[in-house]
mmCIF file of all heavy atoms in Angstrom:
data_model
loop_
_atom_site.group_PDB
_atom_site.id
_atom_site.type_symbol
_atom_site.label_atom_id
_atom_site.label_comp_id
_atom_site.label_asym_id
_atom_site.label_seq_id
_atom_site.Cartn_x
_atom_site.Cartn_y
_atom_site.Cartn_z
ATOM 1 N N ALA A 802 -31.350 -34.155 -5.324
ATOM 2 C CA ALA A 802 -29.871 -34.661 -5.615
ATOM 3 C C ALA A 802 -29.046 -34.440 -4.432
ATOM 4 O O ALA A 802 -28.165 -35.419 -4.228
ATOM 5 C CB ALA A 802 -29.358 -33.768 -6.769
ATOM 6 N N ASP A 803 -29.239 -33.571 -3.590
ATOM 7 C CA ASP A 803 -28.404 -33.490 -2.304
ATOM 8 C C ASP A 803 -28.735 -34.715 -1.456
ATOM 9 O O ASP A 803 -27.847 -35.257 -0.849
ATOM 10 C CB ASP A 803 -28.841 -32.152 -1.544
ATOM 11 C CG ASP A 803 -28.338 -30.929 -2.285
ATOM 12 O OD1 ASP A 803 -27.323 -31.046 -3.003
ATOM 13 O OD2 ASP A 803 -28.783 -29.891 -1.987
ATOM 14 N N VAL A 804 -30.033 -35.107 -1.306
ATOM 15 C CA VAL A 804 -30.307 -36.328 -0.520
ATOM 16 C C VAL A 804 -29.710 -37.560 -1.215
ATOM 17 O O VAL A 804 -29.044 -38.302 -0.365
ATOM 18 C CB VAL A 804 -31.866 -36.455 -0.380
ATOM 19 C CG1 VAL A 804 -32.238 -37.753 0.278
ATOM 20 C CG2 VAL A 804 -32.408 -35.232 0.388
ATOM 21 N N LEU A 805 -29.843 -37.762 -2.446
ATOM 22 C CA LEU A 805 -29.256 -38.891 -3.066
ATOM 23 C C LEU A 805 -27.857 -39.042 -2.926
ATOM 24 O O LEU A 805 -27.172 -40.068 -2.711
ATOM 25 C CB LEU A 805 -29.608 -38.943 -4.544
ATOM 26 C CG LEU A 805 -31.075 -39.122 -4.909
ATOM 27 C CD1 LEU A 805 -31.314 -38.836 -6.380
ATOM 28 C CD2 LEU A 805 -31.584 -40.482 -4.570
ATOM 29 N N ARG A 806 -27.058 -37.870 -3.087
ATOM 30 C CA ARG A 806 -25.680 -37.807 -2.913
ATOM 31 C C ARG A 806 -25.189 -38.274 -1.421
ATOM 32 O O ARG A 806 -24.216 -39.059 -1.308
ATOM 33 C CB ARG A 806 -25.090 -36.420 -3.118
ATOM 34 C CG ARG A 806 -23.686 -36.245 -2.734
ATOM 35 C CD ARG A 806 -23.136 -34.767 -3.017
ATOM 36 N NE ARG A 806 -24.016 -33.769 -2.438
ATOM 37 C CZ ARG A 806 -23.961 -33.433 -1.171
ATOM 38 N NH1 ARG A 806 -23.145 -34.012 -0.296
ATOM 39 N NH2 ARG A 806 -24.818 -32.424 -0.690
ATOM 40 N N ARG A 807 -25.976 -37.727 -0.415
ATOM 41 C CA ARG A 807 -25.652 -38.277 0.963
ATOM 42 C C ARG A 807 -25.864 -39.704 1.181
ATOM 43 O O ARG A 807 -25.243 -40.364 2.076
ATOM 44 C CB ARG A 807 -26.367 -37.401 1.958
ATOM 45 C CG ARG A 807 -25.955 -35.911 2.027
ATOM 46 C CD ARG A 807 -26.493 -35.285 3.243
ATOM 47 N NE ARG A 807 -27.924 -34.930 3.048
ATOM 48 C CZ ARG A 807 -28.441 -33.721 2.583
ATOM 49 N NH1 ARG A 807 -27.491 -32.819 2.210
ATOM 50 N NH2 ARG A 807 -29.608 -33.467 2.483
ATOM 51 N N HIS A 808 -26.644 -40.335 0.302
ATOM 52 C CA HIS A 808 -26.902 -41.776 0.509
ATOM 53 C C HIS A 808 -25.992 -42.491 -0.637
ATOM 54 O O HIS A 808 -26.393 -43.768 -0.728
ATOM 55 C CB HIS A 808 -28.478 -41.984 0.251
ATOM 56 C CG HIS A 808 -29.152 -41.648 1.494
ATOM 57 N ND1 HIS A 808 -29.427 -42.366 2.667
ATOM 58 C CD2 HIS A 808 -29.815 -40.391 1.630
ATOM 59 C CE1 HIS A 808 -30.149 -41.636 3.422
ATOM 60 N NE2 HIS A 808 -30.408 -40.461 2.951
ATOM 61 N N GLY A 809 -25.139 -41.917 -1.216
ATOM 62 C CA GLY A 809 -24.226 -42.664 -2.145
ATOM 63 C C GLY A 809 -24.737 -42.891 -3.546
ATOM 64 O O GLY A 809 -24.070 -43.623 -4.291
ATOM 65 N N ARG A 810 -25.885 -42.369 -3.917
ATOM 66 C CA ARG A 810 -26.461 -42.557 -5.197
ATOM 67 C C ARG A 810 -26.060 -41.521 -6.162
ATOM 68 O O ARG A 810 -26.718 -40.658 -6.513
ATOM 69 C CB ARG A 810 -27.939 -42.782 -5.088
ATOM 70 C CG ARG A 810 -28.303 -44.024 -4.205
ATOM 71 C CD ARG A 810 -29.739 -44.016 -3.852
ATOM 72 N NE ARG A 810 -30.719 -44.151 -4.916
ATOM 73 C CZ ARG A 810 -32.040 -44.397 -4.734
ATOM 74 N NH1 ARG A 810 -32.505 -44.579 -3.579
ATOM 75 N NH2 ARG A 810 -32.912 -44.595 -5.798
ATOM 76 N N LEU A 811 -24.718 -41.440 -6.536
ATOM 77 C CA LEU A 811 -24.078 -40.356 -7.154
ATOM 78 C C LEU A 811 -24.573 -40.133 -8.586
ATOM 79 O O LEU A 811 -24.739 -39.029 -9.048
ATOM 80 C CB LEU A 811 -22.550 -40.472 -7.062
ATOM 81 C CG LEU A 811 -21.921 -40.660 -5.704
ATOM 82 C CD1 LEU A 811 -20.395 -40.542 -5.781
ATOM 83 C CD2 LEU A 811 -22.409 -39.549 -4.765
ATOM 84 N N ASP A 812 -24.715 -41.274 -9.271
ATOM 85 C CA ASP A 812 -25.183 -41.196 -10.701
ATOM 86 C C ASP A 812 -26.482 -40.515 -10.877
ATOM 87 O O ASP A 812 -26.751 -39.664 -11.707
ATOM 88 C CB ASP A 812 -25.137 -42.561 -11.330
ATOM 89 C CG ASP A 812 -23.723 -43.120 -11.529
ATOM 90 O OD1 ASP A 812 -22.779 -42.316 -11.480
ATOM 91 O OD2 ASP A 812 -23.629 -44.327 -11.681
ATOM 92 N N GLU A 813 -27.497 -41.030 -9.993
ATOM 93 C CA GLU A 813 -28.818 -40.355 -10.018
ATOM 94 C C GLU A 813 -28.764 -38.799 -9.692
ATOM 95 O O GLU A 813 -29.447 -38.043 -10.324
ATOM 96 C CB GLU A 813 -29.704 -41.142 -9.089
ATOM 97 C CG GLU A 813 -30.092 -42.572 -9.414
ATOM 98 C CD GLU A 813 -30.876 -43.198 -8.362
ATOM 99 O OE1 GLU A 813 -32.093 -42.851 -8.196
ATOM 100 O OE2 GLU A 813 -30.371 -44.143 -7.647
ATOM 101 N N ALA A 814 -27.963 -38.604 -8.690
ATOM 102 C CA ALA A 814 -27.827 -37.242 -8.258
ATOM 103 C C ALA A 814 -27.217 -36.282 -9.357
ATOM 104 O O ALA A 814 -27.695 -35.154 -9.629
ATOM 105 C CB ALA A 814 -26.952 -37.137 -6.991
ATOM 106 N N GLY A 815 -26.202 -36.926 -10.040
ATOM 107 C CA GLY A 815 -25.640 -36.181 -11.147
ATOM 108 C C GLY A 815 -26.521 -35.925 -12.256
ATOM 109 O O GLY A 815 -26.523 -34.751 -12.822
ATOM 110 N N ASP A 816 -27.371 -36.818 -12.623
ATOM 111 C CA ASP A 816 -28.336 -36.660 -13.696
ATOM 112 C C ASP A 816 -29.397 -35.437 -13.358
ATOM 113 O O ASP A 816 -29.733 -34.565 -14.120
ATOM 114 C CB ASP A 816 -29.171 -37.921 -13.947
ATOM 115 C CG ASP A 816 -28.330 -39.040 -14.583
ATOM 116 O OD1 ASP A 816 -27.148 -38.616 -15.151
ATOM 117 O OD2 ASP A 816 -28.645 -40.133 -14.507
ATOM 118 N N LEU A 817 -29.808 -35.560 -12.088
ATOM 119 C CA LEU A 817 -30.782 -34.400 -11.605
ATOM 120 C C LEU A 817 -30.115 -33.125 -11.612
ATOM 121 O O LEU A 817 -30.711 -32.094 -12.074
ATOM 122 C CB LEU A 817 -31.290 -34.799 -10.219
ATOM 123 C CG LEU A 817 -32.293 -36.000 -10.162
ATOM 124 C CD1 LEU A 817 -32.629 -36.259 -8.663
ATOM 125 C CD2 LEU A 817 -33.576 -35.545 -10.867
ATOM 126 N N LEU A 818 -28.857 -33.026 -11.202
ATOM 127 C CA LEU A 818 -28.235 -31.703 -11.084
ATOM 128 C C LEU A 818 -27.851 -31.129 -12.564
ATOM 129 O O LEU A 818 -27.905 -29.931 -12.727
ATOM 130 C CB LEU A 818 -26.918 -31.851 -10.308
ATOM 131 C CG LEU A 818 -27.226 -31.951 -8.766
ATOM 132 C CD1 LEU A 818 -25.833 -32.190 -8.043
ATOM 133 C CD2 LEU A 818 -27.925 -30.787 -8.173
ATOM 134 N N THR A 819 -27.496 -32.038 -13.384
ATOM 135 C CA THR A 819 -27.296 -31.634 -14.765
ATOM 136 C C THR A 819 -28.502 -30.985 -15.376
ATOM 137 O O THR A 819 -28.446 -29.976 -16.020
ATOM 138 C CB THR A 819 -26.770 -32.756 -15.648
ATOM 139 O OG1 THR A 819 -25.586 -33.301 -15.054
ATOM 140 C CG2 THR A 819 -26.493 -32.342 -17.048
ATOM 141 N N SER A 820 -29.661 -31.680 -15.148
ATOM 142 C CA SER A 820 -30.913 -31.147 -15.707
ATOM 143 C C SER A 820 -31.326 -29.839 -15.035
ATOM 144 O O SER A 820 -31.750 -28.942 -15.666
ATOM 145 C CB SER A 820 -31.991 -32.078 -15.387
ATOM 146 O OG SER A 820 -33.272 -31.601 -15.749
ATOM 147 N N ALA A 821 -31.019 -29.748 -13.682
ATOM 148 C CA ALA A 821 -31.403 -28.528 -12.960
ATOM 149 C C ALA A 821 -30.559 -27.369 -13.366
ATOM 150 O O ALA A 821 -30.992 -26.208 -13.506
ATOM 151 C CB ALA A 821 -31.193 -28.761 -11.456
ATOM 152 N N LEU A 822 -29.165 -27.658 -13.631
ATOM 153 C CA LEU A 822 -28.327 -26.598 -14.109
ATOM 154 C C LEU A 822 -28.774 -26.085 -15.467
ATOM 155 O O LEU A 822 -28.796 -24.747 -15.670
ATOM 156 C CB LEU A 822 -26.849 -27.109 -14.189
ATOM 157 C CG LEU A 822 -25.829 -26.075 -14.548
ATOM 158 C CD1 LEU A 822 -25.799 -24.938 -13.479
ATOM 159 C CD2 LEU A 822 -24.457 -26.709 -14.698
ATOM 160 N N ILE A 823 -29.118 -26.899 -16.368
ATOM 161 C CA ILE A 823 -29.564 -26.400 -17.704
ATOM 162 C C ILE A 823 -30.851 -25.604 -17.532
ATOM 163 O O ILE A 823 -31.027 -24.549 -18.206
ATOM 164 C CB ILE A 823 -29.860 -27.729 -18.671
ATOM 165 C CG1 ILE A 823 -28.556 -28.361 -18.958
ATOM 166 C CG2 ILE A 823 -30.566 -27.161 -19.893
ATOM 167 C CD1 ILE A 823 -28.733 -29.707 -19.656
ATOM 168 N N GLY A 824 -31.775 -26.033 -16.691
ATOM 169 C CA GLY A 824 -32.957 -25.390 -16.418
ATOM 170 C C GLY A 824 -32.795 -24.009 -15.821
ATOM 171 O O GLY A 824 -33.424 -22.984 -16.271
ATOM 172 N N THR A 825 -31.915 -23.800 -14.746
ATOM 173 C CA THR A 825 -31.719 -22.530 -14.144
ATOM 174 C C THR A 825 -31.045 -21.644 -15.125
ATOM 175 O O THR A 825 -31.366 -20.397 -15.027
ATOM 176 C CB THR A 825 -30.987 -22.730 -12.796
ATOM 177 O OG1 THR A 825 -29.715 -23.367 -13.175
ATOM 178 C CG2 THR A 825 -31.709 -23.535 -11.734
ATOM 179 N N ARG A 826 -30.233 -22.064 -15.850
ATOM 180 C CA ARG A 826 -29.570 -21.220 -16.842
ATOM 181 C C ARG A 826 -30.505 -20.695 -17.893
ATOM 182 O O ARG A 826 -30.449 -19.609 -18.317
ATOM 183 C CB ARG A 826 -28.341 -21.811 -17.391
ATOM 184 C CG ARG A 826 -27.160 -21.902 -16.446
ATOM 185 C CD ARG A 826 -25.952 -22.601 -17.036
ATOM 186 N NE ARG A 826 -24.777 -22.497 -16.123
ATOM 187 C CZ ARG A 826 -23.588 -23.117 -16.294
ATOM 188 N NH1 ARG A 826 -23.529 -24.011 -17.317
ATOM 189 N NH2 ARG A 826 -22.611 -22.981 -15.396
ATOM 190 N N SER A 827 -31.352 -21.626 -18.253
ATOM 191 C CA SER A 827 -32.374 -21.318 -19.216
ATOM 192 C C SER A 827 -33.388 -20.260 -18.775
ATOM 193 O O SER A 827 -33.743 -19.294 -19.434
ATOM 194 C CB SER A 827 -33.078 -22.584 -19.770
ATOM 195 O OG SER A 827 -34.205 -22.239 -20.632
ATOM 196 N N SER A 828 -33.719 -20.389 -17.467
ATOM 197 C CA SER A 828 -34.616 -19.459 -16.859
ATOM 198 C C SER A 828 -33.885 -18.232 -16.331
ATOM 199 O O SER A 828 -34.566 -17.266 -15.822
ATOM 200 C CB SER A 828 -35.418 -20.116 -15.705
ATOM 201 O OG SER A 828 -34.559 -20.544 -14.626
#
Side-chain angles (χ1 to χ4, degrees):
D803 288 340
V804 172
L805 292 172
R806 170 178 52 79
R807 286 194 287 268
H808 288 274
R810 298 165 66 169
L811 303 187
D812 291 341
E813 295 175 68
D816 292 340
L817 285 173
L818 288 175
T819 301
S820 171
L822 184 62
I823 294 172
T825 53
R826 285 179 172 171
S827 176
S828 61

